[in-house]
Amino acid sequence: MATPEPDHDHKEEDDAPAAEDEDTGAQVAPIIKLEEVVVTTGEEDEDPILDLKAKLYRFDKDGNQWKERGAGSVKLLKHKQSSKVRLVMRQSKTLKICANHLVLSTMSVQEHAGNDKSCVWHAPDFADGELKDELFCIRFASVENCKSFMETFQEVTESQKCKEENKDATAAADALDKLTVADKKSEEKVEEVPAAAKEDESKTDVENKAEEPTSSA
């Protein structure tokens, strides 16, 4: 009995290399189209003059204790037009604002007792959407950063104080100028009155002479 011959054609098909995927040129559109969103921080019109990592605390009067407000970056931002300086601090992960107030001439910052890496100050803060008088304590990773913060903070308060003094001096000078102008106008009016009175007197003399009876010859 003859044995069946091997199926060479089938073997050749098995041994043939698999065909590579062909590029059809078709483009698959994404299911969701993402649009670019412009995110504003409210700091576009300000220049940073200080930016340091720190941890912020606020004093809880009711509980009579310090409570952590957040850890992140504390900045001193100077407005490009008004030159006012604002302190802003955001939490590092959530970017939630934990401090937001102007640095005023009446403020002062002091080293926290017993810790040369921390300092404290009072401020009317607007972080929660309304003004609250807060006592803040901020702690830095190094003594150098704490000193840098305190020095820059104090320089800002001094510069604001000088601006207010210059503003007051300018206002006083303007008020003096207005007063001087008013005095000059008053003097001019006083000088005009005698001249008018003299004219009236001369007119009266002429009229009286005209009314005097002439003597008969």
Side-chain angles (χ1 to χ4, degrees), residues 37-202:
V37 178
V38 178
V39 180
T40 58
T41 63
E43 302 173 7
E44 287 74 17
D45 295 331
E46 297 168 305
D47 293 325
I49 58 178
L50 184 74
D51 189 349
L52 296 171
K53 297 292 184 181
K55 183 176 288 187
L56 185 68
Y57 301 84
R58 59 175 290 272
F59 188 74
D60 182 12
K61 297 179 182 178
D62 296 333
N64 195 28
Q65 61 180 340
W66 289 102
K67 287 189 175 181
E68 184 177 339
R69 195 73 182 264
S73 178
V74 59
K75 298 179 182 179
L76 291 177
L77 305 173
K78 185 176 182 180
H79 198 275
K80 296 178 181 178
Q81 295 182 352
S82 66
S83 297
K84 292 183 178 180
V85 178
R86 181 167 64 111
L87 184 147
V88 178
M89 184 169 180
R90 298 176 184 269
Q91 295 181 6
S92 57
K93 295 182 180 180
T94 62
L95 299 181
K96 180 181 177 181
I97 295 178
C98 48
N100 180 24
H101 66 79
L102 290 174
V103 181
L104 306 176
S105 61
T106 55
M107 294 180 180
S108 62
V109 60
Q110 299 176 350
E111 183 179 307
H112 187 47
N115 192 336
D116 54 0
K117 296 180 182 179
S118 303
C119 54
V120 295
W121 74 96
H122 280 278
D125 187 64
F126 198 73
D128 295 332
E130 59 179 345
L131 281 177
K132 292 182 181 179
D133 188 20
E134 300 281 10
L135 174 59
F136 287 119
C137 175
I138 193 167
R139 187 176 68 192
F140 296 92
S142 65
V143 177
E144 290 75 14
N145 285 353
C146 185
K147 288 183 178 180
S148 178
F149 174 83
M150 293 179 62
E151 290 174 358
T152 307
F153 192 105
Q154 207 63 42
E155 288 174 0
V156 172
T157 60
E158 292 295 332
S159 65
Q160 296 298 325
K161 189 179 297 183
C162 292
K163 288 179 182 178
E164 291 178 0
E165 291 176 353
N166 292 335
K167 186 177 180 181
D168 293 341
T170 302
D174 292 340
L176 184 60
D177 290 340
K178 291 179 181 178
L179 183 61
T180 304
V181 172
D183 291 341
K184 288 182 179 179
K185 289 183 178 179
S186 299
E187 292 176 358
E188 290 175 357
K189 289 182 179 179
V190 171
E191 291 177 355
E192 290 175 357
V193 170
K198 289 180 180 179
E199 292 180 359
D200 293 339
E201 290 178 358
S202 59

